[in-house]
Amino acid sequence: MTNSGSKSSEPGAVAEAMAKCRSEGIDVIRLGYSDIIGTDRSKDLLVNRFERTTGHGVAFCRSVYGTTPMGDVVDIEGGLAAGLPDIVARPDIETLTRVPWEPGVAHVIADVFNPDGSPSAESPRYVLKNVIEKFSSIAGTPICGPELEFYVLQEDENSDSGWSRYGEMSGNVYVSGLRGDPENVLLQTLRQLGEYDIEVVAANHEFSSGQFEINLWHSDAMDASDRAFRFKAAVKEMARARGKLATFMAKPFNDEGGSGFHLHFSTQDADGNHLFDDPNGEHGLSKVAHHAIGGILKHAPALTALANPTINSYKRFGPDTLAPWLIDWGLDNRSAMVRIPPERGSASRLELRLGDASANPYLLTAATLAAAYLGIRDEIDSGEPLVGYGYDPERSPMLPSSLCAALDALEADTEMREVLGEQFVATFLAYKRNEIERFNSFITDWEFREYTYHL
């Protein structure tokens, strides 16, 4: 079993895969797909009935796309007002892989369709497929390498939330072993992920207490997104099994930094030539690379809505955070929004540092490719790279400072909307604007602390 590829499943391939499952002692297949926010929506199916059950697809309510973390149902197009109709999930059997921490269970990623057989336009995986097709028509096969940070929390009855940071101690950035991981949670997680066939390669303690990073190897954009999607769900599941809570929330604490989702991105042609590399080009980069950077800079405000998709996301931004604040690019400069690592040749790439860990991997990748595609198509100039520390708003324009502003930028960017798909964008905007409405009507702890005593 592997997790590479995204082809539709033929009946013969399904039968063969189920026979292999039975021979390996697997009796349950978890059929899952990504919703708007990146949650794995799934059903457990018995192997001995899998072919029959999935023959015409597995039905889910379409409004799962509009279901919030608190269980509210947003009325997206074709949802509540249409009588809560179905969508149909069909397994991409090439993504079938064993779940190492659950004996007898394998996971398969589904593609999602409408009952009439047409693709579900709201499906993040379908959005990415469409963008990859457009990108590949002019600029080769996009290659991506995801890097994600997250916090691990432990139960704490003295905390208002019931949770506190695991392994609390400052100064443990880039350490391994018990010093920053007293119960070997990260080490055990890394080993189990290594058996999950998602190509994790390295892990370390990050800057903040209880914060960790695990890196995934690069591959074609769809496979990389599939693996990042699975990675986030797996980390949370394994933490639960140990009585811990893993969170990819952008900035869960006032006194510690946020968690990023950095995306390394390059492209290559059918012969394997790396299209961002040019030894004779400015800074050793090709015109394709410069145009890709130009497109990402031009469409950065719209891209932000998908790279930083929560109200909390914008509390990660700001000067001296090592999270982007301005729209700029730089050569091996971690204070820039787009960093060009120093390697050239086959390792020529850009690193988008804009995304935070709450981003849906499919949508962050799709938005990055869409902006790069527009830059390459329209031959947009990248401008001059940032020199020095990049938090001077007089030198570069600022990114949107709130989710509301980012959503407005996405809605106003007609080119990005067209590449991502109008129906998807409409659903995303409706879902996220509902999030803002709910937040604006909620009384926060800050308000109670600020006003109750003195007013």
Side-chain angles (χ1 to χ4, degrees), residues 210-223:
Q211 188 184 43
F212 302 94
E213 177 176 291
I214 296 179
N215 303 137
L216 291 87
W217 196 245
H218 56 269
S219 64
D220 69 83
M222 179 58 74
D223 179 66

Side-chain angles (χ1 to χ4, degrees), residues 79-322:
L80 277 171
L84 300 167
D86 275 349
I87 48 176
V88 178
R90 297 174 181 165
D92 178 351
I93 209 65
E94 294 194 12
T95 68
L96 185 67
T97 191
R98 178 189 290 273
V99 179
W101 59 92
E102 290 201 61
V105 177
H107 186 275
V108 69
I109 295 174
D111 286 312
V112 185
F113 299 85
N114 298 314
D116 65 4
S118 60
S120 173
E122 295 92 350
S123 165
R125 197 171 193 245
Y126 175 70
V127 172
L128 177 56
K129 281 186 177 183
N130 265 352
V131 175
I132 289 172
E133 285 184 13
K134 290 183 173 70
F135 184 93
S136 299
S137 69
I138 63 169
T141 300
I143 307 297
C144 295
E147 293 181 355
L148 286 122
E149 298 168 341
F150 59 95
Y151 277 92
V152 176
L153 312 181
Q154 59 191 7
E155 290 187 281
D156 183 352
E157 61 182 16
N158 296 316
S159 168
D160 291 340
S161 67
W163 300 94
S164 61
R165 292 186 292 261
Y166 159 70
E168 183 76 31
M169 182 59 68
S170 60
N172 276 334
V173 61
Y174 293 148
V175 302
S176 300
L178 298 176
R179 177 178 170 184
D181 182 16
E183 298 176 34
N184 267 338
V185 170
L186 181 64
L187 181 60
Q188 294 166 18
T189 300
L190 178 65
R191 283 174 169 157
Q192 288 188 304
L193 288 172
E195 298 172 3
Y196 193 31
D197 199 19
I198 60 171
E199 287 292 319
V200 297
V201 294
N204 62 271
H205 194 291
E206 253 301 329
F207 195 89
S208 302
S209 290
Q211 188 184 43
F212 302 94
E213 177 176 291
I214 296 179
N215 303 137
L216 291 87
W217 196 245
H218 56 269
S219 64
D220 69 83
M222 179 58 74
D223 179 66
S225 300
D226 281 342
R227 291 185 291 112
F229 164 63
R230 279 178 153 153
F231 165 80
K232 293 179 74 173
V235 166
K236 289 183 279 189
E237 284 291 288
M238 284 185 278
R240 290 185 180 102
R242 297 182 175 95
K244 302 288 194 292
L245 174 66
T247 181
F248 292 87
M249 183 177 172
K251 195 177 189 307
F253 302 104
N254 287 311
D255 61 339
E256 288 285 13
S259 292
F261 183 166
H262 299 166
L263 189 69
H264 292 253
F265 161 49
S266 62
T267 186
Q268 59 186 39
D269 65 19
D271 296 321
N273 298 309
H274 296 268
L275 300 181
F276 281 179
D277 179 56
D278 183 354
N280 299 315
E282 190 175 12
H283 308 298
L285 300 172
S286 68
K287 290 183 179 180
V288 171
H290 281 284
H291 294 328
I293 295 167
I296 290 171
L297 299 185
K298 177 180 177 180
H299 297 280
L303 197 165
T304 303
L306 297 161
N308 309 100
T310 71
I311 291 165
N312 175 259
S313 294
Y314 298 82
K315 296 177 181 179
R316 170 177 164 266
F317 287 170
D320 303 319
T321 60
L322 287 183

Side-chain angles (χ1 to χ4, degrees), residues 40-105:
D40 186 1
R41 302 291 180 177
S42 56
K43 290 187 180 183
D44 285 345
L45 309 177
L46 288 170
V47 166
N48 62 2
R49 296 292 184 269
F50 187 85
E51 292 172 73
R52 184 180 70 183
T53 305
T54 61
H56 297 287
V58 178
F60 289 80
C61 178
R62 182 176 181 178
S63 284
V64 73
Y65 287 135
T67 301
T68 74
M70 292 294 100
D72 301 298
V73 179
V74 181
D75 189 13
I76 62 174
E77 181 184 346
L80 277 171
L84 300 167
D86 275 349
I87 48 176
V88 178
R90 297 174 181 165
D92 178 351
I93 209 65
E94 294 194 12
T95 68
L96 185 67
T97 191
R98 178 189 290 273
V99 179
W101 59 92
E102 290 201 61
V105 177

Side-chain angles (χ1 to χ4, degrees), residues 314-361:
Y314 298 82
K315 296 177 181 179
R316 170 177 164 266
F317 287 170
D320 303 319
T321 60
L322 287 183
W325 189 45
L326 305 176
I327 301 171
D328 52 16
W329 75 283
L331 299 167
D332 198 14
N333 191 329
R334 284 180 168 82
S335 65
M337 187 189 84
V338 177
R339 170 180 173 258
I340 307 301
E343 300 93 340
R344 293 295 183 267
S346 62
S348 295
R349 66 194 188 278
L350 63 83
E351 177 192 8
L352 180 67
R353 297 175 60 82
L354 175 61
D356 67 64
S358 68
N360 183 322

